[in-house]
């Protein structure tokens, strides 16, 4: 199975700490948008990364590809609880269209902030894999939203 990672799994060590698989390059998922709307259990403020095709025409999600054996694909589903596997088309770093499996959560809630830990892993992974500078800047811009506001000094 060819797995498209857009979440913290774009950091290779984060992926390999959980699943056996081989890095297969960078890719772009067109007409999707990265959002943080997958609620974290018992957390009413922060959310994990997710993607949506809704109102996303012309937008892109960058990520990485891993070749994963069938038995490890089941493990991947377990680690990505609350996400459902879907098959779609991506464009790899060579400009070729490939069929991949990715995971999208249907259990969503709007108005949540990005989980700071996951966002930091995503930024590190984006840099490690040399995703576009525009995409890295997009992720970095989300960091200010991930930190709770500091109370003002009186």
């Amino acid at each position: 199975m060819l797995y498209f990672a857009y979440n913290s799994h774009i950091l290779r060590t984060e992926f390999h700490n959980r699943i056996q698989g081989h890095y297969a390059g960078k890719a772009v998922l067109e007409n999707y948008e990265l959002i943080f709307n997958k609620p974290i259990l018992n957390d009413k403020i922060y959310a994990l990364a997710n993607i949506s095709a809704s109102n996303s025409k012309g937008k892109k999600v960058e990520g990485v590809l891993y070749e994963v054996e069938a038995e490890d694909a089941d493990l991947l589903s377990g680690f990505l609880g609350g996400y459902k596997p879907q098959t779609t088309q991506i464009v790899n770093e060579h400009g070729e269209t490939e069929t991949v499996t990715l995971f999208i959560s249907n259990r969503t809630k709007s108005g949540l902030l990005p989980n700071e830990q996951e966002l930091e892993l995503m930024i590190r992974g984006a840099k490690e894999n040399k995703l576009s500078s525009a995409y890295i800047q997009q992720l970095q811009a989300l960091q200010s939203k991930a930190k709770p506001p500091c109370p003002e000094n009186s």
Side-chain angles (χ1 to χ4, degrees), residues 13 18 21 26 31 38 56 85 132:
T13 54
R18 298 176 177 191
K26 301 184 286 188
N31 299 314
K38 198 261 184 203
S56 299
S132 75

Side-chain angles (χ1 to χ4, degrees), residues 114-139:
N115 175 274
E116 189 175 359
Q117 180 181 2
E118 180 171 41
L119 186 54
E120 178 59 33
L121 294 172
M122 290 172 66
I123 291 168
R124 286 176 43 206
K127 290 177 180 178
E128 171 188 62
N129 291 292
K130 297 179 176 47
L131 300 186
S132 75
S133 59
Y135 196 72
I136 293 170
Q137 289 172 358
Q138 178 186 336
L139 293 175

Side-chain angles (χ1 to χ4, degrees), residues 15-152:
F15 176 79
H16 290 298
N17 283 341
R18 298 176 177 191
I19 304 293
Q20 296 297 313
H22 302 285
Y23 174 78
K26 301 184 286 188
V28 174
L29 178 63
E30 296 178 345
N31 299 314
Y32 275 79
E33 177 179 21
L34 176 69
I35 50 179
F36 285 81
N37 70 350
K38 198 261 184 203
I40 299 170
L41 189 63
N42 299 322
D43 190 332
K44 296 178 193 267
I45 299 173
Y46 298 100
L48 297 174
N50 197 15
I51 54 175
S52 173
S54 195
N55 300 316
S56 299
K57 186 170 175 71
K59 296 183 181 180
K60 298 177 183 179
V61 175
E62 295 186 34
V64 297
L65 300 171
Y66 296 99
E67 189 64 50
V68 178
E69 298 297 326
E71 59 271 10
D72 289 323
D74 291 338
L75 286 173
L76 189 58
S77 291
F79 282 117
L80 294 170
Y83 291 85
K84 301 289 183 207
Q86 295 186 18
T87 303
T88 193
Q89 301 286 309
I90 55 86
V91 178
N92 68 23
E93 62 189 304
H94 306 292
E96 302 162 338
T97 301
E98 293 193 72
T99 300
V100 298
T101 298
L102 50 74
F103 290 79
I104 299 176
S105 179
N106 293 327
R107 196 183 96 222
T108 63
K109 182 178 177 187
S110 60
L112 298 174
L113 300 172
N115 175 274
E116 189 175 359
Q117 180 181 2
E118 180 171 41
L119 186 54
E120 178 59 33
L121 294 172
M122 290 172 66
I123 291 168
R124 286 176 43 206
K127 290 177 180 178
E128 171 188 62
N129 291 292
K130 297 179 176 47
L131 300 186
S132 75
S133 59
Y135 196 72
I136 293 170
Q137 289 172 358
Q138 178 186 336
L139 293 175
Q140 290 170 329
L142 291 170
Q143 279 186 308
S144 62
K145 295 179 183 177
K147 295 181 180 168
C150 296
E152 293 183 315

